[in-house]
Amino acid sequence: MAVTGTPPLAAKRERTGWYIYDWANSAFSTTVITVFLGPFLTTITEQAAGCAIDADTCDGTVRPLGIPVAAGSYYAYLVSLSVLLTVFVLPVMGAIADRAPRKKPLLAGAAFLGATATVAMAFVTGDRYLLGGLLFIIANISFGAAIVVYNSFLPHLGGPDERDRISSRGWAIGYLGGGVLLLLNLVAVMSLSQDGNPQRTLDLARWSIVSAGIWWAAFTIVPLLWLREHPGAASAEPADDGGNVFTDGFKQLGHTIKGMRAYPLTLAFLGAYLIYNDGIQTVIALASQFGDKELGLQQSDMIMTILIVQFLAFGGALLLGALATRIGARKTILIALGGWLAVVIAAYFLPEGKPIPFMLLGAGIGIVMGGSQALSRSLFSQLIPAGKEGEYYGFYEISDKGTSWLGPLFFGLIFQLTNSYRAGIVSLVVFFLLGGVLLAFVPIRRAIIAAGNTPPKLV
C-alpha cells in the first residue's frame, strides 16, 4: 500500500517519526533485556534464595507460588511467562488497532505503561525478586503491545519495493538509539563502580534500567506528534450489538483466526518466523546472563560487547537491506540465519574470563541481527491482506523484540537439568535450522499474490 496524496515533505516527516519510535523503544530491548535485567534480577533472586551477592554460581532455589525454581532459571522462566501472556494480549491489541479510528492513543498508552513499569524497577531492592518479576512482565507485555501498533503503520509508509529499505532504516536507527543510551550507561558503570563492592554494581544496574524507561517515554512523544492516523477499514464498520472498539476487538480476533485459514502461505511464513526469531530473541535476552554466570565476565566487558553489537547492527541492517534489493529479502534472511547458526555453535566454545572472544562473537551477531529482523518485518508486510495490518502483526509480535517464549523456556529447562549455560545456548541451533528450512520452502511470491498484494520485483 503506497503512500498516496501526501506531500513528499509530510511523508518524510512521518517516516522519520516512525523511525524515532524504534530509537525510543530500543532502549528497553538493549539496556534492559539484553544487558542489565538478566544479571540484575538473577542476583536479586540469588539473594532471596540465600546466596551471597558475589557468588559465581548458586545452587539455591526460590519458591514463587510454592513452585521450586533454580535462581539461575528464574529470569528465563519469567521471559517465557511474559510471552505466553502476550499470546493473548497482542493479537487482541492488533484487532483493536484495526478497528480504532485513531491508533496513536493505543501506541501512547502501551508505551507509557511499559516505560512506567521500567522506571518502577527503582524499587526492586534487597530480595524483592517477585516485584521485579511482576514489573518485568508488565513492561514486556506493554512493549510488545506498542510494537504491534507501531508495526501496523509500516504498510502505509511506502510501496512494495520501498518497505525493505524503510524497515531496515527503522531497525538501524533503533540500534543506534539503543547504543547511545547503553554507551552513557557504560560510562556511568565504569566511572562509579568500585572494586570489591558488588552492591554498588547492583545499584548501577538498577538505575541503568530506570534510565531506559525514561528514555523510552521521552522519545515516544516524537512519533506521537509526527505520525499520521491510518485507521483500518474495520474502523468504519459499526460496533456489533452496541459495543465499542475494545469489545469488538475481542470479537474480531475470532474472525481473524478463522479468516487466516484462507491464507495458508502467510501462516507458513509466520510459523517459520516464529521459530527462527524465537532463537534470535533468546540469544539477545540471555547473552548477558551467559557472559556473567558462565564466562565470568565483568559487567563493563558485557556492555562493551553489546555496544559493538549495537553499532555494527546499525550498519548490518543497512547492509543486508541493500543486499535484499539485489537478491531478495527471503534469500538475504536465509544467509543471516546461517550466520546465527555459526554464532550459537561458537558460543559453546568461548573460554571463561576472556572478554575478547566474547566481543568478536558480538561483532558477528551485530552483522546478521539487524537485517534478519528488519527484512522479516518488511517481508511479512507483503503477506498481510489490506486493512488487517494490526491483527496480523499482533500474531507476528508473539516472537519479536524481547517476546520469545519457547527458546527461553528450553534454555531454562536445559540449565535446570545440566546446570550448564553452555548446553542451553548451543541447544538453540534447532531453532535456526528448523526455521530456516521452513522459510526456504515457502513460495513467497505466490503468498503475496494470494494475500491480494502486488509483489516487489525481488522477494
Side-chain angles (χ1 to χ4, degrees):
M1 185 181 301
V3 177
T4 59
T6 304
L9 288 178
K12 182 178 180 180
R13 176 187 174 93
E14 182 176 19
R15 288 181 184 180
T16 301
W18 191 77
Y19 299 150
I20 291 299
Y21 187 70
D22 237 323
W23 171 284
N25 70 33
S26 289
F28 177 81
S29 59
T30 302
T31 291
V32 179
I33 300 295
T34 307
V35 179
F36 287 104
L37 188 61
F40 170 75
L41 200 51
T42 298
T43 300
I44 294 291
T45 308
E46 288 173 350
Q47 291 178 184
C51 303
I53 191 172
D54 60 347
D56 293 328
T57 60
C58 178
D59 294 329
T61 61
V62 291
R63 286 177 165 74
L65 303 178
I67 303 171
V69 173
S73 295
Y74 178 67
Y75 177 63
Y77 289 156
L78 271 180
V79 174
S80 290
L81 175 60
S82 71
V83 177
L84 286 174
L85 294 175
T86 66
V87 170
F88 301 99
V89 175
L90 302 193
V92 173
M93 173 62 87
I96 292 172
D98 283 337
R99 297 192 68 86
R102 299 178 63 216
K103 294 182 180 181
K104 291 197 290 184
L106 296 175
L107 177 63
F112 290 140
L113 176 61
T116 300
T118 305
V119 171
M121 285 285 183
F123 300 103
V124 180
T125 57
D127 60 357
R128 296 176 181 173
Y129 76 100
L130 288 176
L131 174 61
L134 177 62
L135 290 174
F136 166 68
I137 288 173
I138 293 172
N140 212 30
I141 292 175
S142 300
F143 178 85
I147 289 287
V148 168
V149 183
Y150 166 72
N151 282 342
S152 72
F153 283 89
L154 176 58
H156 303 278
L157 299 178
D161 292 305
E162 298 178 286
R163 291 182 206 161
D164 288 342
R165 176 171 52 83
I166 294 171
S167 184
S168 295
R169 285 184 178 178
W171 277 97
I173 290 173
Y175 286 127
L176 189 60
V180 168
L181 179 63
L182 191 58
L183 178 60
L184 296 175
N185 284 321
L186 174 62
V187 171
V189 168
M190 295 182 68
S191 302
L192 302 176
S193 60
Q194 298 174 342
D195 292 338
N197 187 353
Q199 184 60 49
R200 171 66 69 90
T201 301
L202 193 65
D203 291 339
L204 290 171
R206 178 184 302 108
W207 291 110
S208 295
I209 292 169
V210 170
S211 74
I214 297 171
W215 179 286
W216 183 7
F219 284 105
T220 293
I221 296 172
V222 177
L224 293 177
L225 293 174
W226 289 2
L227 282 171
R228 298 168 58 235
E229 293 288 1
H230 296 280
S235 65
E237 299 174 5
D240 296 334
D241 302 323
N244 57 43
V245 67
F246 293 98
T247 57
D248 277 6
F250 281 90
K251 295 176 184 177
Q252 182 60 32
L253 176 60
H255 298 314
T256 300
I257 294 173
K258 293 178 181 178
M260 290 180 80
R261 291 180 296 181
Y263 305 100
L265 298 180
T266 297
L267 291 178
F269 171 84
L270 184 60
Y273 169 79
L274 293 179
I275 292 171
Y276 71 71
N277 197 59
D278 213 287
I280 293 173
Q281 295 303 320
T282 304
V283 173
I284 293 171
L286 300 176
S288 184
Q289 187 178 9
F290 175 77
D292 178 29
K293 302 300 179 181
E294 180 67 33
L295 302 183
L297 300 178
Q298 298 296 317
Q299 190 170 67
S300 59
D301 294 328
M302 290 184 291
I303 297 175
M304 184 65 71
T305 302
I306 300 303
L307 281 172
I308 292 171
V309 172
Q310 289 297 117
F311 291 116
L312 280 180
F314 170 77
L318 297 178
L319 177 64
L320 292 184
L323 181 61
T325 64
R326 294 178 176 272
I327 67 173
R330 193 249 299 271
K331 291 180 181 177
T332 306
I333 294 170
L334 290 173
I335 291 172
L337 292 180
W340 278 109
L341 275 174
V343 162
V344 294
I345 292 172
Y348 181 83
F349 298 100
L350 289 179
E352 293 184 20
K354 296 184 178 180
I356 298 301
F358 189 69
M359 291 179 184
L360 291 175
L361 191 70
I365 291 175
I367 292 172
V368 299
M369 181 169 66
S372 57
Q373 296 176 308
L375 295 174
S376 296
R377 177 172 66 181
S378 58
L379 186 55
F380 186 63
S381 75
Q382 314 277 4
L383 306 176
I384 302 174
K388 301 290 185 180
E389 295 84 7
E391 296 175 30
Y392 277 71
Y393 271 118
F395 289 96
Y396 178 91
E397 187 60 26
I398 290 171
S399 182
D400 199 5
K401 292 184 178 180
T403 56
S404 57
W405 67 278
L406 185 57
L409 176 62
F410 195 49
F411 185 99
L413 288 172
I414 293 296
F415 174 82
Q416 186 135 359
L417 292 172
T418 66
N419 200 36
S420 170
Y421 289 100
R422 293 182 188 271
I425 204 74
V426 80
S427 69
L428 301 177
V429 162
V430 67
F431 291 90
F432 300 110
L433 277 176
L434 181 57
V437 169
L438 291 176
L439 175 61
F441 282 99
V442 178
I444 296 295
R445 186 172 297 275
R446 186 147 54 93
I448 295 173
I449 295 172
N453 298 321
T454 302
K457 295 177 181 178
L458 294 171
V459 293

